[in-house]
Amino acid sequence: LKILKNCGLPCEGVTTPGGFGNLVKPELSLAAGDALRDVYGVELPHYFKYVAGGKDENTEPRLEHVSGLKTANPRAVVNVPAGTGDWFGGWDGDVKSRGQLYSNDDATGGRMVELIERGAPAVMLCHWPGMYTHGTRKGFADFRKVVLALNTRYRDQTLWMKISEIARYWAARKLTAIERTATGFSLQAPFACGAFTLRVKPRGAGAPVVTHGGKPLVLNEVRRQQNLAAGTWLRRENSLILCFDLPKGQSALLA
């Protein structure tokens, strides 16, 4: 990490080679978090190492070493698993690429399709040598086909995110305390999160209002779910869906 920082490269998370650390998984997670905080001052460290590749295996990120949620210095490490195998060309780039295992050309089959249809986090795994494939770039060509197929079929129901963004969103999703109040809801967020999205049952017919530090956040109404983005809200028959940049600390939702 110190080498990366000396080269001017930002870093919020790490991975490890092969089975490194597999006999001391809790300690590996703790060490990764401490190292990222020490060298980069990362608020919410993450790591990307394990594979949840079984058909019914849970691909949700895991929150580890969580502490201090009600203090000014909350801590957690997010373990973001991959949901696929390494099929674009392998560790050394000398294996035939099998991009169809992620998704076929019309996105009607493949591991990524299974995960998206299940509503689960869908994270692909590969290694750079597999993308380069000893100069043929066959792995990268297959990767582009997979992205095109998924974007064609699932454009309106998927978001492409970096591992760091997935880690932060999952931490906010699991750790933000939401309580019903007389006028709406109270949100206590140990970590800020962009485009935080939630569905609530409103008590009135007016537009929702989110405030932080006594100041309202700008929210604009949209008519379709695919138009939801940070700073918007959508009315459904019996609920409201809101998407906004959630600040760290206490916020209030009037709805």
Side-chain angles (χ1 to χ4, degrees):
L1 289 175
K2 290 180 179 178
I3 293 172
L4 292 178
K5 187 174 182 181
N6 289 341
C7 293
L9 298 174
C11 181
E12 294 183 41
V14 298
T15 186
T16 66
F20 178 85
N22 279 355
L23 298 181
V24 285
K25 291 181 178 180
E27 290 84 355
L28 175 68
S29 171
L30 187 64
D34 285 349
L36 286 159
R37 293 188 191 97
D38 179 57
V39 177
Y40 278 98
V42 176
E43 180 190 36
L44 186 62
H46 71 272
Y47 66 103
F48 178 65
K49 172 178 173 62
Y50 303 115
V51 178
K55 183 174 178 59
D56 298 319
E57 197 168 353
N58 188 349
T59 61
E60 295 181 357
R62 285 76 158 162
L63 302 181
E64 300 167 349
H65 305 291
V66 178
S67 66
L69 295 184
K70 295 183 179 181
T71 71
N73 185 33
R75 294 167 71 93
V77 179
V78 187
N79 170 4
V80 183
T84 74
D86 180 8
W87 300 317
F88 283 123
W91 178 282
D92 295 312
D94 56 2
V95 178
K96 182 179 179 181
S97 178
R98 298 176 293 162
Q100 295 280 318
L101 294 180
Y102 298 92
S103 170
N104 58 11
D105 291 344
D106 60 358
T108 56
R111 176 62 173 167
M112 291 291 285
V113 174
E114 291 176 9
L115 293 172
I116 293 171
E117 289 289 342
R118 201 166 82 193
V123 180
M124 283 188 280
L125 170 65
C126 71
H127 291 85
W128 286 115
M131 287 285 185
Y132 187 62
T133 333
H134 285 276
T136 69
R137 303 186 183 181
K138 175 60 178 174
F140 184 63
D142 282 357
F143 170 72
R144 294 178 65 181
K145 289 181 181 179
V146 170
V147 172
L148 178 63
L150 296 177
N151 273 350
T152 299
R153 184 176 181 194
Y154 295 109
R155 181 184 302 275
D156 292 338
Q157 62 191 88
T158 55
L159 290 173
W160 291 92
M161 303 171 71
K162 296 186 293 185
I163 298 295
S164 58
E165 294 171 332
I166 295 173
R168 180 166 289 275
Y169 194 92
W170 214 261
R173 181 179 189 266
K174 290 295 185 178
L175 300 179
T176 299
I178 303 176
E179 297 181 357
R180 170 72 84 168
T181 66
T183 57
F185 300 87
S186 169
L187 294 85
Q188 181 65 42
F191 300 103
C193 177
F196 186 74
T197 306
L198 72 164
R199 183 194 301 266
V200 299
K201 285 188 176 182
R203 290 183 170 177
V209 177
V210 177
T211 59
H212 176 74
K215 297 180 180 179
L217 306 181
V218 177
L219 293 176
N220 297 311
E221 185 177 7
V222 295
R223 302 297 181 182
R224 301 191 304 167
Q225 185 162 316
Q226 52 264 46
N227 292 334
L228 279 170
T232 64
W233 65 280
L234 172 70
R235 188 182 300 278
R236 287 296 193 220
E237 184 176 355
N238 296 311
S239 65
L240 300 177
I241 303 176
L242 298 93
C243 181
F244 57 93
D245 291 336
L246 176 69
K248 180 177 180 175
Q250 187 79 30
S251 299
L253 166 59
L254 175 64

